[in-house]
Amino acid sequence: MKKTFLFYDIETTGLSKPFDQILQFAAIRTDLALNEIERHECRVRLNKDIFPAPGALLTHGLGIREIQEGISEYEAIQKIHQWMNVPGTISLGYNTLGFDDEFLRFGFYRHLLKPYTHQYANGCGRMDLYPITLMFYLFKPAILNWREVNGRKSLKLEYINQANQFAKGAAHDAMVDVEVTLALAKHLMTESTMWEYLCGYFQKEIDLTRMQPLQKDMALLIQGRIGTEANYQCPVMFLGQHKHYRNQFVWLRLDSETLQQTTLETINTCTFSFNKKPGEPNFILPMTERFLTQIDSARITLAQNNQRWLKENPKIFQAITDWHLNFTYPVFPNVDYDARLYLNGFFSRDEDFFCERFQKSTPKEKAKLAESAQSDLLQTLTTRLIGRHFPEALTSSLEDRFAEYLAAVKTPEDSKILIDHQGRKRLTPHLALAEIATLRAEPEKEKTQLKLLEEYEAYLQKLS
């Protein structure tokens, strides 16, 4: 099987993975030596049930008029799913595992496409250039020029591009960001030994092999979310495999000032852990001299003292271990159907067959299938899909259901706003208008930004 990289980027209406949509997708496929093979690009028009986050419009600079043009989200998602599932495809970008990949996963789910096959099926897999760049930043920083922001070197892609002149064009244009990411990868790849070593972290078998000897003692965990104050790293110790999320391994943070204050009642506030999936960041490193150059000795001493305290207090240590290995995320009642990807598990064989029939059907046939769907989930997802993209095919009963849904997404009543799997509210027109007022009041807004907000405000006011 011929392996290829698919470098990609998306621009979206906001940060909500279940409720927002893609506005722009761009990708460049390369061979494993990073030679370009082909390019793909989609500009996607706004769905009638989506109200973009005003801050997102300011970030990518796309106005409300501009995003009402392009192909349908349905057509775009079909194309993207096909491109990412070409056998042997390794999809990657800059922080794609932190945002883009999950955003697409929800998009595939809402369109009744298999949401996970691009991760494992037919030789496919995923990587992410952001944690690779972070490792170069920590352990081989001279390979790049770094722009300082507020006295600290920044790992934002646009600043890396400004400092190294990898590509021309506006930041947050999807194709420009893909070109920058590919150029960055080519540059880092010149350090072939380190590049190949870091790529190994995205292969489950290699990652598991590397983690196994580190489970016996203290190790070093690298993660962007740890932040600049801790230089993106902290000492950890292995607690075990999670009891409920079976593909995750739990590591306890050891450089915590509050760890030795832990009682049986304060485990959740005094201790902190990381869940690690094999083949994905975080990166776990041995506590050898070559990897301890970027962490101050006081934190190492604190970690050693905390580790000693845990061994001297086996009862509380066991309680800490049990708590973290059994922790589960809260389940919220009345989660909207668009946000239930993680709540319902995989579709059954019959449901998969239904989805395959639905994909191959004409719009009128899709409506008949929607009416015959055996579950509320499938009937709701199909009704919304038809209403968004094939409204002329809605039957009278489906039209009533879709009208009820459109009223729900526009509700001004906070208690009736749809929520996602994490309990977060869907953006409604009145919430978007409030955000516009807040953004307009901020100082140093450019005229183009104020115009974007003004045009969007007028669009929202027409809806109410």
Side-chain angles (χ1 to χ4, degrees), residues 1-7 29-37 88-92 123 127 182 185-186 189 195-196 199 203:
M1 180 184 297
K2 183 180 180 181
K3 291 277 189 178
T4 59
F5 286 125
L6 187 71
F7 289 85
R29 188 180 299 278
T30 75
D31 60 22
L32 297 190
L34 304 187
N35 298 304
E36 183 174 334
I37 298 172
T89 297
I90 302 169
S91 54
L92 74 162
M127 287 176 49
L182 176 55
K186 288 180 177 179
M189 197 180 194
W195 170 265
E196 291 172 8
C199 288
Q203 299 180 44

XYZ file of all heavy atoms in Angstrom, residues 1-7 29-37 88-92 123 127 182 185-186 189 195-196 199 203:
248
model
N 0.837 -1.195 0.000
C 0.000 0.000 0.000
C 0.875 1.249 0.000
O 1.819 1.356 0.777
C -0.906 0.002 1.238
C -1.827 1.207 1.332
S -2.772 1.171 2.861
C -3.727 -0.324 2.623
N 0.557 2.178 -0.882
C 1.320 3.423 -0.957
C 0.859 4.375 0.133
O -0.309 4.769 0.201
C 1.136 4.066 -2.329
C 1.958 5.328 -2.523
C 1.739 5.908 -3.906
C 2.557 7.180 -4.103
N 2.334 7.771 -5.454
N 1.785 4.768 1.008
C 1.474 5.708 2.076
C 1.632 7.141 1.575
O 2.551 7.446 0.807
C 2.405 5.491 3.271
C 2.177 4.177 4.020
C 1.048 4.320 5.019
C 0.943 3.100 5.924
N -0.127 3.253 6.920
N 0.737 8.012 2.010
C 0.848 9.432 1.687
C 0.499 10.261 2.918
O -0.217 9.802 3.816
C -0.104 9.840 0.551
O -1.460 9.563 0.934
C 0.232 9.100 -0.740
N 1.015 11.497 2.932
C 0.594 12.479 3.924
C -0.498 13.349 3.312
O -0.413 13.723 2.130
C 1.760 13.387 4.338
C 2.780 12.742 5.224
C 4.127 12.744 4.866
C 2.419 12.153 6.423
C 5.086 12.165 5.684
C 3.375 11.574 7.250
C 4.703 11.580 6.874
N -1.516 13.702 4.100
C -2.501 14.696 3.694
C -2.440 15.839 4.698
O -2.997 15.757 5.797
C -3.911 14.102 3.652
C -4.982 15.033 3.066
C -4.795 15.183 1.555
C -6.395 14.537 3.375
N -1.707 16.903 4.338
C -1.638 18.099 5.174
C -2.926 18.885 4.961
O -3.299 19.176 3.815
C -0.434 18.950 4.780
C 0.896 18.355 5.166
C 1.523 17.438 4.337
C 1.514 18.707 6.351
C 2.748 16.882 4.684
C 2.738 18.162 6.710
C 3.355 17.247 5.881
N -1.754 16.780 -0.607
C -1.282 15.403 -0.432
C 0.152 15.310 -0.939
O 0.485 15.843 -2.007
C -2.166 14.415 -1.196
C -1.835 12.943 -0.880
C -2.745 11.992 -1.661
N -4.150 12.177 -1.328
C -4.741 11.652 -0.269
N -4.039 10.909 0.581
N -6.030 11.861 -0.033
N 1.000 14.636 -0.155
C 2.409 14.457 -0.528
C 2.785 12.984 -0.368
O 2.072 12.211 0.283
C 3.347 15.291 0.361
O 3.454 14.681 1.658
C 2.870 16.727 0.499
N 3.930 12.638 -0.938
C 4.501 11.337 -0.596
C 5.228 11.469 0.736
O 5.242 12.547 1.349
C 5.421 10.826 -1.718
C 6.600 11.766 -2.010
O 6.963 12.578 -1.127
O 7.170 11.673 -3.111
N 5.848 10.395 1.196
C 6.480 10.432 2.517
C 7.739 11.283 2.541
O 8.246 11.601 3.623
C 6.772 9.013 3.005
C 5.553 8.114 3.218
C 5.957 6.826 3.924
C 4.460 8.825 4.023
N 8.250 11.646 1.350
C 9.381 12.570 1.276
C 8.907 14.013 1.170
O 9.710 14.922 0.970
C 10.268 12.209 0.091
N 7.595 14.222 1.285
C 6.947 15.533 1.275
C 6.938 16.187 -0.106
O 6.838 17.413 -0.220
C 7.565 16.470 2.321
C 7.575 15.943 3.760
C 8.060 17.024 4.722
C 6.199 15.445 4.181
N 7.000 15.401 -1.151
C 6.820 15.911 -2.510
C 5.321 15.985 -2.813
O 4.589 15.007 -2.617
C 7.503 14.987 -3.522
C 9.000 14.897 -3.299
O 9.698 15.903 -3.282
N 9.500 13.681 -3.108
N 4.880 17.135 -3.303
C 3.453 17.344 -3.521
C 2.911 16.439 -4.625
O 3.525 16.279 -5.684
C 3.192 18.813 -3.871
C 1.717 19.129 -4.041
C 1.441 20.613 -4.235
O 2.255 21.447 -3.776
O 0.403 20.940 -4.841
N 1.715 15.884 -4.375
C 1.028 15.035 -5.340
C -0.217 15.732 -5.886
O -0.447 15.767 -7.092
C 0.628 13.684 -4.694
C 1.876 12.915 -4.252
C -0.206 12.850 -5.668
C 1.568 11.672 -3.430
N -4.019 4.282 3.015
C -2.639 4.683 3.272
C -2.457 6.143 3.634
O -1.318 6.602 3.795
N -3.566 6.888 3.807
C -3.465 8.324 4.097
C -3.134 8.573 5.567
O -3.818 8.068 6.462
C -4.775 9.052 3.753
O -5.017 8.950 2.354
C -4.707 10.526 4.149
N -2.095 9.369 5.805
C -1.785 9.864 7.148
C -2.166 11.343 7.161
O -1.506 12.170 6.529
C -0.299 9.689 7.498
C 0.095 8.210 7.406
C 0.002 10.237 8.889
C 1.581 7.966 7.465
N -3.271 11.690 7.813
C -3.739 13.076 7.831
C -3.069 13.825 8.976
O -2.920 13.302 10.079
C -5.263 13.124 7.972
O -5.696 12.387 9.096
N -2.671 15.064 8.686
C -1.989 15.867 9.708
C -2.066 17.339 9.361
O -2.339 17.719 8.221
C -0.524 15.451 9.855
C 0.479 15.856 8.758
C 1.903 15.759 9.281
C 0.326 15.029 7.499
N -4.986 1.168 6.409
C -3.657 1.757 6.511
C -3.629 3.242 6.796
O -2.563 3.872 6.728
N -1.339 12.231 12.386
C -0.214 12.850 13.077
C -0.581 14.300 13.365
O -1.673 14.752 13.026
C 1.070 12.765 12.229
C 1.693 11.383 12.160
S 3.144 11.286 11.048
C 4.130 12.700 11.577
N 3.251 22.606 5.593
C 4.069 21.718 4.770
C 5.510 22.220 4.701
O 6.462 21.427 4.828
C 3.475 21.610 3.363
C 4.272 20.790 2.341
C 4.569 19.384 2.837
C 3.515 20.747 1.005
N 7.173 21.427 7.936
C 7.510 20.004 8.014
C 8.770 19.690 7.207
O 9.640 18.935 7.658
C 6.337 19.164 7.509
N 8.883 20.263 6.015
C 10.080 20.034 5.192
C 11.325 20.532 5.909
O 12.383 19.898 5.858
C 9.925 20.743 3.845
C 8.931 20.093 2.906
C 8.847 20.858 1.582
C 7.898 20.171 0.603
N 7.790 20.903 -0.672
N 12.146 18.228 8.798
C 12.543 16.921 8.288
C 14.030 16.866 7.929
O 14.604 15.776 7.798
C 11.701 16.566 7.063
C 11.714 15.106 6.675
S 10.681 14.843 5.197
C 10.528 13.065 5.211
N 13.285 13.809 13.393
C 11.993 13.751 12.716
C 11.413 12.332 12.759
O 10.268 12.125 13.133
C 12.135 14.239 11.284
C 10.923 14.007 10.427
C 10.686 12.958 9.594
C 9.767 14.859 10.325
N 9.463 13.091 8.979
C 8.876 14.231 9.407
C 9.400 16.066 10.916
C 7.642 14.806 9.071
C 8.162 16.631 10.574
C 7.310 16.002 9.666
N 12.209 11.362 12.384
C 11.726 9.978 12.349
C 11.406 9.473 13.754
O 10.436 8.736 13.952
C 12.769 9.086 11.676
C 12.907 9.358 10.174
C 14.065 8.615 9.551
O 14.683 7.771 10.247
O 14.371 8.879 8.370
N 8.059 11.043 14.710
C 6.960 10.419 13.965
C 6.565 9.084 14.598
O 5.394 8.681 14.546
C 7.368 10.200 12.507
S 7.456 11.729 11.534
N 2.657 6.150 16.168
C 2.383 4.746 15.893
C 2.184 4.029 17.233
O 3.067 4.034 18.089
C 3.545 4.125 15.112
C 3.781 4.794 13.764
C 4.937 4.172 13.013
O 5.059 2.941 12.952
N 5.786 5.009 12.430
